[in-house]
Amino acid sequence: MNASSHNINKSIQALSVSLVHRLSREENCSNEEALKRLLKSMTYELLQDKESGLYAESPEYVWSMLQDEKHGNMESWVKE
């Protein structure tokens, strides 16, 4: 069964909100600044790509990817 476009969009939105709140808390910045940082990330770009399936992952998994990107450790993204 394929997820409907509406459900996928809701998942992307929920993950994005979760990431913004966590970024704001972890980096001691406003939600607006956290959102700006998220929107500039490759993680967010991948989250928006519905074919990637990232929207179906847990917030913790996506947060881990965002942290890997922040620290330049994106080799972990590549799965063989």
Side-chain angles (χ1 to χ4, degrees):
M1 176 190 300
N2 290 337
S4 73
S5 183
H6 177 73
N7 287 342
I8 291 171
N9 290 339
K10 286 185 72 109
S11 291
I12 292 169
Q13 181 180 18
L15 283 166
S16 298
V17 168
S18 174
L19 291 170
V20 165
H21 287 291
R22 186 148 181 197
L23 263 174
S24 175
R25 187 174 60 245
E26 298 277 331
E27 298 189 7
N28 197 27
C29 64
S30 68
N31 283 342
E32 182 178 332
E33 181 61 32
L35 177 60
K36 288 178 185 176
R37 293 178 190 181
L38 177 63
L39 293 177
K40 293 177 183 176
S41 71
M42 290 177 61
T43 302
Y44 183 74
E45 188 176 325
L46 190 59
L47 180 59
Q48 294 297 306
D49 180 2
K50 294 175 182 173
E51 290 183 22
S52 76
L54 190 56
Y55 64 85
E57 298 293 344
S58 70
E60 199 59 43
Y61 181 86
V62 182
W63 173 255
S64 173
M65 287 184 67
L66 190 60
Q67 292 305 294
D68 286 345
E69 178 182 351
K70 177 181 173 184
H71 296 109
N73 183 23
M74 294 166 50
E75 298 85 30
S76 63
W77 290 16
V78 180
K79 297 178 182 174
E80 295 183 28

